[in-house]
Amino acid sequence: MIEEWNGTSSTKLTKTATITATNANSSITIQRSSNAFTHISQRILQAFVPEGFPTSVTPDYVPFQVWDSLQGLSTYVRMMLSTQALLSAIGVGEKSATVIGATFQWFLRDLTGMLGGVLFTCYQGSNLDSNAKMWRLVADLMNDLGMLMDLVSPLFPSAFVFIVCIGSLSRSFTGVASGATRAALTQHFALENNAADIAAKEGSQETLATMIGMALGMLLARITIGHSFAIWISFLSLTMFHMYANYKAVCCLSLNNLNCERCSIVLSHFLKTGQVLSPKQVSSMEHVLPLWMTPWSPKGGDSLYKRVHLGVRVSSLDSLAMINLLQSAGSHYKKEKYLLQQKGGTVRIITHKDSVAADILQSFIHALVMAKLDDQDGSISSESQSWMAKHYEVFLLKLQSSGWKTERLLSSSVVWRANWLVDYSTDKND
């Protein structure tokens, strides 16, 4: 007897048939265990969920995808309304409109978006990984702004080109930020090195949401045509839901990579209790809104990391700070690939030109400890050095056992580095 099983994971198998052979008359009997409908439904499901689901993805995959699909649905419904308004403003359906005029306006719109995408990547590309949650929200907020500009454009014919260029610029930021953060989140979801499979299935889910959204958008555009008040009410209502769904989506994420804020939250708790918070616990404490919206954020978070400046340019220091830095290079930082300089409540990190990812993480944690000790009395440098010698390795082990990745610190690129030489025979530092 041979049993036939079907499934993409050893834990999610379904018996489809039992094959029995008899020696008496050499006959074979096949007994089907599942009907055609069950088999077809499983095949359809495999086009939308990763292979081995749910064990092949992180627990926050499902809630994130649900909210992400809902926000995508509302986006495509609104897109039909904004596109309708944009085409009307260009002159589609009017005898006075010219093909070359509409083409030139569309060209300016696309050109502005392309240039904006390149400039945004130049200034913020390296920062997208470290703040994936925040930039995911910002990307969709900029997309909302772009759609709003398209919807407003028919109301101001004299400023039409300027308005649609602003909208295109906003959407260019969306394209760069959304694509980059999506890549980071895909890596986070992949538990079995299946990032490509997850990305492909996410594309299928987005396509389904697009088709449903476009159908609903066409229906809504047909119903509200010629009724400006109904169009605006529908657009603003869907925009509010879109913002809410995006906020809920990023709040579902429990990222296990250490960025500046998460590192600050975990270390502050460790200094108080000796215990390390899990990624899920930290996710409910970190800010997901941009820094300028921090006063309106309902979460407390931890602001210790704001007092640490990573990758400071040496020539930007004053003469006294430079002298103190050179003295500390020969006394406190003989083996480390970084230097710390504390002044006015802030800690500045100068990284060595040969420092690697582990040195960057160590320097940032050391700076956080120094910033924390700055609120107390005593010798900050010696106390922070003593803490690092006694507790740093233990802290890293506890981070790893709690599910954190400690290979690197997700931060902005460190573009300024330094090289220092210490002559211990003459106590001369360069």
Side-chain angles (χ1 to χ4, degrees), residues 254-255 277-285 404:
S254 300
L255 303 181
L277 296 171
S278 66
K280 187 174 183 178
Q281 290 173 311
V282 173
S283 68
S284 62
M285 301 170 65
W404 292 99

Side-chain angles (χ1 to χ4, degrees), residues 242-366:
H242 177 256
M243 295 170 63
Y244 174 76
N246 268 298
Y247 181 77
K248 294 294 291 183
V250 296
C251 286
C252 291
L253 294 171
S254 300
L255 303 181
N256 58 355
N257 291 300
L258 288 170
N259 67 359
C260 295
E261 183 181 10
R262 288 192 283 272
C263 190
S264 178
I265 293 173
V266 173
L267 180 64
S268 294
H269 188 269
F270 180 78
L271 291 173
K272 292 178 182 178
T273 65
Q275 302 298 320
V276 170
L277 296 171
S278 66
K280 187 174 183 178
Q281 290 173 311
V282 173
S283 68
S284 62
M285 301 170 65
E286 64 177 323
H287 293 102
V288 296
L289 297 175
L291 293 178
W292 57 271
M293 297 181 66
T294 299
W296 294 273
S297 177
K299 302 178 182 181
D302 188 284
S303 59
L304 189 64
Y305 69 99
K306 297 178 182 178
R307 295 164 56 186
V308 176
H309 299 163
L310 179 61
V312 173
R313 188 177 182 181
V314 176
S315 59
S316 66
L317 304 177
D318 55 43
S319 300
L320 181 60
M322 194 85 69
I323 294 173
N324 293 334
L325 195 67
L326 290 173
Q327 291 176 346
S328 65
S331 57
H332 297 296
Y333 305 100
K334 294 181 179 180
K335 298 180 179 179
E336 287 80 0
K337 294 293 182 67
Y338 60 88
L339 299 175
L340 302 182
Q341 200 268 332
Q342 186 273 338
K343 182 180 180 182
T346 62
V347 181
R348 291 177 281 193
I349 304 174
I350 293 90
T351 57
H352 195 273
K353 72 179 185 68
D354 297 328
S355 61
V356 295
D359 298 317
I360 301 296
L361 177 62
Q362 181 179 347
S363 68
F364 191 79
I365 292 176
H366 193 166

Side-chain angles (χ1 to χ4, degrees), residues 86-104:
L86 182 61
L87 293 176
S88 174
I90 289 177
V92 174
E94 295 183 6
K95 294 182 179 180
S96 59
T98 62
V99 174
I100 189 64
T103 303
F104 181 70

Side-chain angles (χ1 to χ4, degrees), residues 7-130:
T8 58
S9 172
S10 59
T11 60
K12 301 288 289 186
L13 294 175
T14 303
K15 187 167 71 170
T16 58
T18 302
I19 304 172
T20 307
T22 58
N23 294 326
N25 50 10
S26 300
S27 62
I28 295 177
T29 303
I30 301 178
Q31 181 180 359
R32 302 291 179 181
S33 303
S34 62
N35 54 40
F37 175 78
T38 303
H39 180 70
I40 293 173
S41 63
Q42 289 178 346
R43 296 294 296 177
I44 294 175
L45 187 63
Q46 289 173 7
F48 295 97
V49 297
E51 183 177 345
F53 176 84
T55 57
S56 62
V57 293
T58 55
D60 54 357
Y61 175 79
V62 172
F64 176 81
Q65 288 301 120
V66 169
W67 285 110
D68 188 54
S69 298
L70 289 174
Q71 67 86 16
L73 187 67
S74 68
T75 296
Y76 294 114
V77 173
R78 290 178 302 136
M79 188 179 294
M80 299 305 295
L81 298 177
S82 62
T83 303
Q84 183 185 49
L86 182 61
L87 293 176
S88 174
I90 289 177
V92 174
E94 295 183 6
K95 294 182 179 180
S96 59
T98 62
V99 174
I100 189 64
T103 303
F104 181 70
Q105 291 172 346
W106 206 270
F107 165 75
L108 286 179
R109 173 179 177 267
D110 289 348
L111 179 63
T112 304
M114 293 175 186
L115 293 176
V118 173
L119 291 175
F120 181 76
T121 303
C122 179
Y123 284 99
Q124 289 293 342
S126 62
N127 195 34
L128 298 175
D129 259 338
S130 58

